[in-house]
Amino acid sequence: HIGHDLVVRRNDSMRDMKIPSLQTIKHGVLIDDHLALESITGLSQVSKVSHSLMVRANRRLKSLAGLEALVDAGSEGLTLDDNHDLADLSALASLQKSGKSLVISNHFSLPEIKGLSELTQANALHLLNNRSITDINGFSKLNEVTEVRIEGNGKLQRVHGFAQVKSLVDLVVKDNADLAKFAGFGNCASTGHFEVTDNPGLTELKLSLLQQTGTLTLHRNQSLGTFAGLFPLKYIDIFSVCDNPNLPTAKVETFLKQLWKQPQTVDSCDG
């Protein structure tokens, strides 16, 4: 039992974090900035932290083995950031709650983000600047989430999954150079702000049940040539479309005609 924070930081020679019989941590966990750390099995009996769990800048950590029992990552949630060799998230299979946010960012070796099949709650989900991931899938039970950002994942090709998400305040898909297919969130009926920008390889954008959004922004998606995956949309308050060369004015006008109510504002730099 640890009554407050557990901070393990800058032990350059430490390879394995071993804390026998540790089961409860009252506040937060920070595992930060290690050159040689390869294992965090010392957390193998911890199922809940009260505040937060951050695993950051551990260059040789290849997996999260040791977090298999983790169910609740605390009020602030779980952050995985800048773990250079991290290539496997399967140890998070039991995680159900991640408080304010679940952040997976700045990884070089992670090939995909999938699974997390027990996760039901994370107010914000940020998947950012993971240089090697090609696929995002899973999150099959996530239904308590208000914001999703998928941004700066240069080799990402496909996004699917997220079948239980019914509505979002913010959905941002931005600066994913190789993204070709965005077809997740198949039961999401409404968003407050839906932004798809700077995805030059995107050819398919599909939210099969999306009916209304406060703002729809489509900027600089050079390969996107159809609105077909968005035709369930009936209501848009603000629509901004710019620098999508395969979505000429005629296609934009056809898309607007199928709405039940015209947007209050239409901003098109393409005329």
Side-chain angles (χ1 to χ4, degrees):
H1 172 87
I2 292 179
H4 207 261
D5 290 322
L6 171 63
V7 177
V8 185
R9 172 181 278 171
R10 295 176 186 162
N11 296 289
D12 288 345
S13 63
M14 186 175 70
R15 294 182 178 275
D16 189 359
M17 196 182 79
K18 294 181 178 179
I19 309 174
S21 301
L22 178 62
Q23 295 182 1
T24 60
I25 300 171
K26 278 291 186 183
H27 204 247
V29 178
L30 173 63
I31 303 169
D32 180 38
D33 197 10
H34 296 94
L35 294 175
L37 184 66
E38 298 177 346
S39 171
I40 55 173
T41 55
L43 298 176
S44 62
Q45 297 185 55
V46 175
S47 62
K48 180 179 180 179
V49 296
S50 296
H51 186 263
S52 61
L53 172 58
M54 179 178 287
V55 182
R56 179 179 67 193
N58 302 287
R59 291 150 184 77
R60 296 185 64 183
L61 186 67
K62 294 182 179 181
S63 81
L64 300 174
L67 295 182
E68 289 87 351
L70 184 68
V71 172
D72 188 339
S75 60
E76 296 296 305
L78 173 63
T79 297
L80 305 172
D81 179 61
D82 192 22
N83 301 289
H84 189 284
D85 288 353
L86 184 65
D88 184 3
L89 302 180
S90 61
L92 299 177
S94 297
L95 182 65
Q96 296 178 16
K97 297 181 179 181
S98 191
K100 184 180 291 185
S101 64
L102 171 58
V103 178
I104 303 173
S105 59
N106 299 307
H107 294 101
F108 287 78
S109 303
L110 193 63
E112 58 191 359
I113 297 175
K114 67 175 186 178
L116 289 135
S117 57
E118 295 301 314
L119 184 71
T120 61
Q121 183 276 327
N123 288 354
L125 175 64
H126 293 173
L127 308 176
L128 312 173
N129 303 315
N130 298 288
R131 299 190 183 187
S132 297
I133 65 169
T134 60
D135 189 71
I136 294 175
N137 195 5
F139 299 93
S140 58
K141 293 184 180 179
L142 181 63
N143 58 18
E144 295 180 54
V145 60
T146 60
E147 175 185 341
V148 176
R149 298 186 68 91
I150 300 172
E151 182 174 344
N153 304 290
K155 295 184 178 180
L156 178 65
Q157 298 174 17
R158 297 171 300 276
V159 176
H160 34 174
F162 302 93
Q164 296 300 315
V165 176
K166 301 298 195 300
S167 66
L168 288 164
V169 174
D170 290 293
L171 176 56
V172 177
V173 184
K174 182 177 181 181
D175 194 22
N176 303 288
D178 288 351
L179 180 63
K181 182 176 182 178
F182 185 90
F185 303 89
N187 289 302
C188 185
S190 67
T191 61
H193 171 68
F194 183 21
E195 177 181 347
V196 183
T197 61
D198 295 304
N199 305 287
L202 185 66
T203 59
E204 181 177 349
L205 178 62
K206 182 179 181 181
L207 279 82
S208 55
L209 291 182
L210 185 65
Q211 296 193 21
Q212 64 181 36
T213 184
T215 302
L216 176 60
T217 301
L218 302 175
H219 288 184
R220 296 178 298 278
N221 304 290
Q222 287 86 344
S223 301
L224 187 63
T226 178
F227 287 100
L230 297 177
F231 267 97
L233 263 172
K234 302 302 179 186
Y235 301 98
I236 303 172
D237 290 332
I238 299 172
F239 181 38
S240 180
V241 56
C242 188
D243 290 335
N244 306 285
N246 289 308
L247 290 175
T249 300
K251 287 187 177 181
V252 173
E253 291 176 348
T254 298
F255 172 67
L256 290 173
K257 286 178 181 178
Q258 59 88 34
L259 298 175
W260 287 5
K261 182 180 179 181
Q262 291 302 293
Q264 297 178 19
T265 303
V266 177
D267 176 17
S268 176
C269 66
D270 301 317

